[in-house]
Amino acid sequence: MSKEVVTGDEKEFMDEFLLESQYLTECKQLPLDVLDEDEFAVVEKCLNQEDLTDEELTFLKKVLYRYREAMKKLDVANSEENVETVRKHIKSEKELLALIDELEENYKLQMVYCLRNGEEVILDLIVKPLTDSQAISEMQTHANLFKELNTNERVVWSKVMQGQMVYTEEEKKLAEHIADKYEEQEYDMEHKTQGMREFLARQVEFENTSFKTYNQKLKFWNKIEVTTVIDLYQKVRKMLHIDEQKTEELFLNE
């Protein structure tokens, strides 16, 4: 069977089509401040729908390929796809109250903690429920911290905060872009980390706690290394259902 040959006219038509569709869309999604001078120049021409030379088009394809791969590895594009869940339909107040009553007043949580000598221990913790005023305050704090980040950027920042490795230069640029954008806010990293420790001092204690006052508990959490604080903070927020959720995701008929 003879191999199909693509003519020059067909290739030119395909390049023009991609420039006006896929390449243009990808250029719009790309943070421009992560690009170097040559990359920015060719991306800007694509955004402005200017004619590109064959060399510029080839370079643009390479740029988009590199950043496309970086975005995939950071799991930006597909990170918030819905996970299939089973949702029970509640048609009476009694059904909902029965489900609520099944939950204990305090959540129990076990966590592995690694000591400096490499020994691992299991922490038996209790997560205390939030009052209504605390819940509103915590949700507002979360919104303020991340209000300047779009959905994809929040996902990447969360992954970076959890210590996910980034490998390529393009991935590093994307992570740095988000970090710079985050740091433009009035909350620096030290401030945010201290806020996490204060949150844990209010909401988390050991099953057989020795400390009764907030200051005693805060002094304890100040001694716990930062990565553990971050991981536990995120876990507890999810347990208490105070992670940000889009309103449109709550209302199924819209």
Side-chain angles (χ1 to χ4, degrees):
M1 182 180 291
S2 62
K3 187 176 181 179
E4 186 175 348
V5 178
V6 178
T7 67
D9 288 343
E10 289 173 330
K11 182 177 182 302
E12 183 178 352
F13 174 80
M14 182 58 68
D15 284 339
E16 289 180 1
F17 173 76
L18 290 173
L19 273 170
E20 295 174 359
S21 55
Q22 178 184 334
Y23 298 163
L24 179 60
T25 298
E26 290 183 325
C27 284
K28 288 178 179 179
Q29 295 172 344
L30 197 60
L32 298 182
D33 56 356
V34 307
L35 305 176
D36 61 31
E37 187 175 344
D38 292 337
E39 292 171 337
F40 179 83
V42 72
V43 168
E44 186 177 40
K45 289 187 74 171
C46 178
L47 289 171
N48 294 331
Q49 292 288 273
E50 299 177 26
D51 292 334
L52 276 71
T53 66
D54 290 342
E55 291 77 11
E56 288 174 328
L57 179 57
T58 299
F59 182 57
L60 176 66
K61 291 177 182 178
K62 291 180 179 179
V63 171
L64 292 179
Y65 174 78
R66 292 200 306 268
Y67 283 100
R68 187 185 304 129
E69 291 301 303
M71 297 284 272
K72 285 179 182 177
K73 286 183 180 179
L74 286 173
D75 200 21
V76 176
N78 300 315
S79 59
E80 292 206 343
E81 287 184 354
N82 291 331
V83 177
E84 185 176 354
T85 57
V86 178
R87 290 177 174 172
K88 183 177 180 180
H89 285 262
I90 302 297
K91 297 183 179 180
S92 76
E93 298 88 343
K94 287 184 178 180
E95 288 179 271
L96 179 57
L97 288 176
L99 289 176
I100 293 174
D101 290 342
E102 286 180 10
L103 300 176
E104 297 182 30
E105 182 179 352
N106 295 316
Y107 300 90
K108 290 188 176 182
L109 174 65
Q110 289 187 322
M111 181 179 188
V112 176
Y113 186 73
C114 186
L115 302 174
R116 291 183 180 179
N117 63 359
E119 180 184 356
E120 291 185 345
V121 296
I122 297 176
L123 311 183
D124 289 325
L125 303 172
I126 296 291
V127 178
K128 297 185 290 186
L130 291 166
T131 65
D132 289 348
S133 60
Q134 284 177 320
I136 293 171
S137 175
E138 291 295 338
M139 291 173 71
Q140 184 59 47
T141 298
H142 185 70
N144 287 340
L145 285 170
F146 293 100
K147 64 182 178 182
E148 295 300 323
L149 300 183
N150 62 37
T151 301
N152 288 340
E153 289 170 334
R154 292 177 195 179
V155 172
V156 175
W157 179 251
S158 177
K159 289 180 178 293
V160 171
M161 287 286 286
Q162 293 178 49
Q164 175 174 315
M165 295 295 294
V166 291
Y167 301 98
T168 68
E169 187 63 29
E170 289 75 29
E171 289 175 81
K172 290 177 182 177
K173 285 183 178 180
L174 289 170
E176 288 169 2
H177 158 77
I178 295 166
D180 289 343
K181 193 169 182 179
Y182 180 88
E183 287 172 0
E184 290 173 2
Q185 308 308 307
E186 58 183 308
Y187 298 93
D188 59 18
M189 286 306 301
E190 185 177 351
H191 182 104
K192 186 174 188 296
T193 304
Q194 188 57 29
M196 292 179 183
R197 297 183 192 277
E198 293 169 359
F199 173 83
L200 296 179
R202 291 192 300 271
Q203 302 306 138
V204 180
E205 62 185 28
F206 278 77
E207 192 167 314
N208 298 318
T209 182
S210 304
F211 303 139
K212 302 301 181 184
T213 69
Y214 168 79
N215 287 336
Q216 287 176 320
K217 294 174 182 179
L218 180 58
K219 186 176 180 180
F220 164 78
W221 288 111
N222 282 336
K223 284 197 168 189
I224 303 300
E225 51 89 21
V226 66
T227 56
T228 298
V229 169
I230 292 170
D231 289 341
L232 183 57
Y233 171 81
Q234 293 174 333
K235 175 67 174 178
V236 172
R237 287 185 68 88
K238 288 179 181 178
M239 292 177 69
L240 294 175
H241 307 290
I242 52 176
D243 275 337
E244 201 170 28
Q245 184 172 12
K246 292 182 180 179
T247 302
E248 58 265 28
E249 294 174 351
L250 301 177
F251 302 98
L252 304 181
N253 294 329
E254 293 186 356

